[in-house]
Amino acid sequence: MISDPLDPAIEAKVRESFARQSLMRLFNAQLDEVTSGTAKISATIDERVQQQQGFAHGGFVFSLADSAAGYAALTLLPMTNEVMTAELKINYLSAGKGRLIAEGRVLKPGHRLVVVAADVWAEHEGARKHIAALQGTMVPVTT
């Protein structure tokens, strides 16, 4: 999928916002890619974010997907806006080990509501597995 070029000022704003997220720092997450209407975040599943069986904890998966979807929304908003999550639904499809990649995208942009989605993939021992699908609504807020 080819997306529209992203205004460098918007990309800088998104990356600066991501850098302020203490939860993403706690996870050692990286904002790997930002384009118009999309964002990709990755993080390794280490002992701090595992559930009792050694797989990625659902809260960790959810947080990465929420942030990827939110930053995808932010790429389409004016410089004076930030976003907040209004509601999200997630389906956990499989357990994950290794490294997670959350790929967020905008389904429907808007001035009052932005409908978003994110898919989370686990990469482990050369295999890539779809482990979660999220859909929700972000609300633009003035900073």
Side-chain angles (χ1 to χ4, degrees):
M1 175 182 209
I2 299 171
S3 59
D4 295 328
L6 184 60
D7 180 329
I10 295 288
E11 181 173 355
K13 174 185 159 184
V14 169
R15 290 189 180 280
E16 196 277 327
S17 176
F18 182 83
R20 290 192 320 264
Q21 275 208 18
S22 59
L23 185 61
M24 292 297 111
R25 279 196 311 275
L26 178 70
F27 291 156
N28 291 322
Q30 300 172 350
L31 181 59
D32 297 324
E33 187 177 309
V34 181
T35 65
S36 183
T38 72
K40 186 186 293 186
I41 297 172
S42 66
T44 299
I45 303 165
D46 63 30
E47 66 281 346
R48 297 169 304 128
V49 294
Q50 294 172 352
Q51 45 84 292
Q52 68 280 7
Q53 296 165 317
F55 296 104
H57 190 283
F60 174 55
V61 175
F62 186 90
S63 295
L64 292 178
D66 175 24
S67 288
Y71 283 118
L74 189 59
T75 67
L76 298 180
L77 296 176
M79 288 294 290
T80 56
N81 283 132
E82 271 285 346
V83 294
M84 293 186 74
T85 303
E87 62 82 28
L88 293 173
K89 182 222 187 290
I90 193 166
N91 290 100
Y92 295 101
L93 308 172
S94 185
K97 285 194 173 212
R99 185 160 185 80
L100 294 187
I101 297 94
E103 299 174 346
R105 66 191 179 285
V106 173
L107 298 177
K108 172 87 170 63
H111 297 288
R112 294 192 178 133
L113 299 174
V114 181
V115 180
V116 295
D119 292 296
V120 182
W121 304 86
E123 293 181 347
H124 183 63
E125 296 180 346
R128 181 174 161 101
K129 181 167 56 167
H130 194 193
I131 66 163
L134 172 140
Q135 185 172 324
T137 309
M138 299 291 164
V139 178
V141 293
T142 304
T143 54

